């Protein structure tokens, strides 16, 4: 075993340590001795963008199936084991990783690790469970499709990235879920759910060596610590995605129109991401932002209006979302384009920069006040970054952003070809002018 300290912390608080077990399994912990809870996450470096066409939807399908039973526990015993001690257990699937997690009292850490390791390494994936969860996932897709504010983001991503793995929905489609047989799912599970692709992240009132001992015992019990394979490298690059421009309109008789206007953004490791974050805060990051003030406060055209950024290994997104009355969409789109053009031409004010930095700083620090968020930070970082930046390092990078940095990133990102997705009663309406 190889153990290193990734961050020394202060006075025993916030110490982050990493151990590599046989087979390439990584264990990362952060000490929070002043709390009484522990968050455990088992992160697998596989997401929906890794699916071949014949596996579309398999990553999320597995998220459901792994809770259905192992040789040691059935579905009820899995949930009851954690809920019976007042804890919570769940999972989520993203484009580039999947996480199975639990949050429990510190004294119940051994049980949480045992249950999660059992789930991740030893799922039975029976034919009966596949068919049962197929129906559940189809219901989830239907529920998602009933919410236009969710669908418009999915449609924007599909139009932005085209028919590529990163452009397809994480849940899969009705057709792809119906086509997924048990053999395909098991093949996917056995190929990717391996120790080299797995990170066990634990944050809370824990001792690192004790966590390593518990994880090693749980994985050894499942026969998953064989061999001397190295850990998979961090996901800091990818195949790249071509920049696209287009309009996608979903005609629905809704009372509110939903739109996303945007373009490709920055990759997760791009040093300019801090400047883009400050710019995003000023343009549409809160109630004091330009878009919110212009669209809602001054003109009353919408209830919700904001901008956002998201990052992946090799690309990203910058988008503006607005929900408005269908008759107001042309006015809203004009304001969005005008505000973006104004930022590119004139930049943002010193007051907006200060406010944007404060928003980013506060959001970062306040978002790390519990064990779950701390666990997510170290687990995700181990999968997708070369190094773990300390909170202080991130704050310094935010403070170092200059007006020139913001002007340069605005000139790049906000001048890229635009893509628009719209959901509303717009059969036959031409939105081409909105992106030209």
């Amino acid at each position: 075993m190889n153990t290193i300290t990734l961050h020394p912390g202060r006075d025993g608080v916030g110490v982050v340590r990493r151990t590599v077990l046989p087979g390439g399994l990584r264990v990362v912990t952060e000490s929070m001795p002043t709390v009484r809870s522990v968050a455990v996450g088992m992160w697998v470096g596989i997401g929906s963008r890794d699916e071949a066409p014949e596996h579309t939807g398999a990553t999320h399908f597995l998220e459901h199936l792994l809770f259905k039973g192992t040789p040691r526990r059935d579905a009820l015993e899995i949930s009851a084991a954690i809920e019976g001690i007042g804890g919570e257990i769940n999972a989520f699937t993203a484009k580039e990783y999947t996480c199975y997690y639990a949050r429990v009292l510190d004294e119940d850490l051994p049980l949480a690790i045992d249950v999660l390791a059992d789930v991740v390494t030893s799922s039975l994936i029976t034919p009966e469970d596949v068919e049962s969860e197929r129906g559940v996932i189809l219901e989830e897709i239907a529920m998602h499709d009933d919410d236009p504010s969710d669908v418009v983001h999915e449609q924007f991503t599909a139009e932005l990235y085209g028919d590529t793995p990163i452009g397809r929905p994480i849940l899969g489609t009705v057709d792809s879920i119906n086509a997924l047989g048990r053999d395909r799912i098991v093949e996917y599970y056995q190929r990717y759910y391996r120790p080299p692709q797995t990170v066990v992240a634990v944050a809370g009132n824990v001792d690192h060596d004790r966590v390593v001992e518990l994880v090693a015992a749980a994985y050894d019990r499942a026969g998953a610590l064989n061999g001397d394979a190295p850990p998979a490298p961090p996901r800091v690059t990818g195949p790249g995605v071509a920049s696209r421009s287009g309009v996608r309109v979903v005609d629905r008789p809704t009372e509110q129109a939903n739109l996303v206007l945007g373009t490709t953004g920055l990759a997760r490791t791009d040093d300019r991401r801090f400047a883009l974050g400050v710019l995003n805060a000023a343009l549409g990051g809160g109630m004091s932002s330009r878009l919110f003030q212009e669209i809602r406060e001054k003109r009353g055209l919408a209830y919700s209006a904001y901008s956002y950024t998201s990052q992946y290994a090799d690309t990203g997104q910058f988008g503006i979302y607005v929900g408005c009355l269908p008759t107001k969409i042309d006015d809203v789109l004009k304001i969005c384009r005008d505000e973006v053009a104004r930022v590119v031409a004139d930049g943002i004010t010193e007051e907006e920069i200060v406010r944007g930095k404060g928003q980013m700083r506060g959001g970062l620090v306040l978002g790390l006040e519990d064990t779950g968020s701390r666990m997510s930070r170290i687990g995700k970082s181990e999968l997708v970054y070369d190094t773990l930046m300390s909170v202080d390092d991130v704050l310094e990078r935010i403070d170092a952003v200059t007006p020139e940095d913001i002007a340069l990133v605005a000139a790049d990102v906000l001048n890229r070809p635009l893509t628009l997705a719209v959901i509303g009663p717009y059969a036959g309406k031409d939105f081409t002018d909105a992106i030209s």
Side-chain angles (χ1 to χ4, degrees):
M1 293 190 299
N2 177 29
T3 299
I4 60 173
T5 298
L6 299 178
H7 189 267
R10 295 176 181 172
D11 300 323
V13 178
V15 179
V16 181
R17 300 179 67 196
R18 173 186 186 263
T19 294
V20 180
L21 293 169
L25 179 68
R26 285 158 286 175
V27 180
V28 185
T29 68
E30 180 169 1
S31 65
M32 301 174 66
T34 59
V35 302
R36 286 298 311 276
S37 66
V38 175
V40 182
M42 300 205 170
W43 296 73
V44 183
I46 191 75
S48 61
R49 76 172 297 184
D50 300 298
E51 298 164 349
E54 65 270 18
H55 289 124
T56 299
T59 315
H60 175 256
F61 212 137
L62 277 175
E63 177 200 315
H64 284 245
L65 288 170
L66 265 58
F67 289 105
K68 297 297 288 184
T70 73
R72 297 174 57 206
R73 298 178 175 91
D74 62 24
L76 176 60
E77 290 169 331
I78 289 170
S79 58
I82 301 300
E83 292 177 358
I85 56 174
E88 57 179 318
I89 184 169
N90 212 329
F92 65 85
T93 305
K95 296 280 187 181
E96 296 181 330
Y97 45 80
T98 308
C99 178
Y100 300 80
Y101 63 90
R103 188 164 179 259
V104 297
L105 298 179
D106 51 11
E107 63 195 55
D108 296 316
L109 174 65
L111 178 62
I113 288 176
D114 185 58
V115 171
L116 284 173
D118 191 26
V119 163
V120 170
T121 65
S122 305
S123 177
L124 294 174
I125 311 182
T126 67
E128 295 78 14
D129 288 338
V130 170
E131 293 311 310
S132 172
E133 286 307 302
R134 191 189 311 278
V136 173
I137 293 169
L138 291 173
E139 289 291 337
E140 187 176 357
I141 292 173
M143 179 178 67
H144 170 82
D145 287 347
D146 279 344
D147 188 341
S149 63
D150 283 344
V151 176
V152 73
H153 286 92
E154 187 176 277
Q155 293 296 320
F156 172 73
T157 299
E159 186 64 28
L160 182 67
Y161 295 128
D163 187 22
T164 62
I166 199 170
R168 297 175 192 138
I170 291 173
L171 300 183
T173 65
V174 170
D175 289 342
S176 73
I177 296 303
N178 280 325
L180 268 177
R182 177 181 181 272
D183 290 347
R184 291 280 193 200
I185 297 171
V186 171
E187 172 190 47
Y188 195 78
Y189 176 55
Q190 293 177 343
R191 180 187 305 174
Y192 292 116
Y193 275 63
R194 310 297 302 163
Q197 281 81 38
T198 303
V199 172
V200 181
V202 182
N205 186 23
V206 296
D207 174 76
H208 179 80
D209 293 337
R210 174 60 172 159
V211 172
V212 170
E213 177 186 314
L214 292 169
V215 173
Y219 268 76
D220 188 54
R221 186 160 43 245
L225 287 185
N226 298 322
D228 57 357
R235 192 169 194 151
V236 294
T237 59
V241 183
S243 178
R244 289 166 49 92
S245 177
V247 175
R248 181 170 297 207
V249 179
V250 179
D251 179 35
R252 286 192 185 180
T254 56
E255 295 296 322
Q256 183 184 59
N258 291 264
L259 70 91
V260 175
L261 176 71
T263 186
T264 53
L266 303 180
R268 188 166 44 233
T269 55
D270 193 314
D271 287 339
R272 298 174 297 165
R273 66 189 184 275
F274 302 101
L276 184 60
V278 176
L279 173 62
N280 175 66
L283 184 61
M287 294 174 64
S288 61
S289 67
R290 292 189 179 189
L291 287 171
F292 191 91
Q293 287 293 313
E294 287 295 325
I295 294 173
R296 174 169 165 168
E297 294 299 290
K298 293 182 181 179
R299 306 170 193 254
L301 293 175
Y303 176 77
S304 180
Y306 60 84
S307 64
Y308 66 92
T309 65
S310 58
Q311 291 86 35
Y312 305 109
D314 50 357
T315 186
Q317 290 184 23
F318 177 86
I320 297 169
Y321 166 83
V322 184
C324 64
L325 288 174
T327 56
K328 304 297 185 182
I329 194 166
D330 291 331
D331 293 336
V332 166
L333 282 169
K334 184 178 186 306
I335 293 171
C336 292
R337 292 295 306 272
D338 287 349
E339 288 304 315
V340 167
R342 194 155 67 93
V343 167
V344 173
D346 303 326
I348 61 177
T349 67
E350 183 62 34
E351 180 184 350
E352 287 175 318
I353 293 174
V354 172
R355 193 162 61 232
K357 289 181 178 181
Q359 185 176 327
M360 289 184 69
R361 288 169 56 89
L364 170 66
V365 175
L366 293 176
L368 293 175
E369 290 293 299
D370 63 84
T371 56
S373 58
R374 291 273 177 168
M375 178 276 292
S376 293
R377 187 179 81 94
I378 61 175
K380 179 180 175 181
S381 179
E382 181 64 30
L383 283 180
V384 302
Y385 291 107
D386 279 326
T387 58
L388 172 67
M389 290 183 67
S390 70
V391 174
D392 288 341
D393 289 339
V394 177
L395 294 176
E396 288 177 7
R397 295 293 295 274
I398 294 170
D399 284 340
V401 171
T402 66
E404 292 74 23
D405 296 331
I406 296 170
L408 288 171
V409 80
D412 177 5
V413 174
L414 300 185
N415 274 321
R416 294 178 183 181
L418 288 173
T419 290
L420 172 67
V422 175
I423 296 179
Y426 297 119
K429 181 175 174 59
D430 185 2
F431 284 95
T432 306
D433 288 347
I435 64 167
S436 60

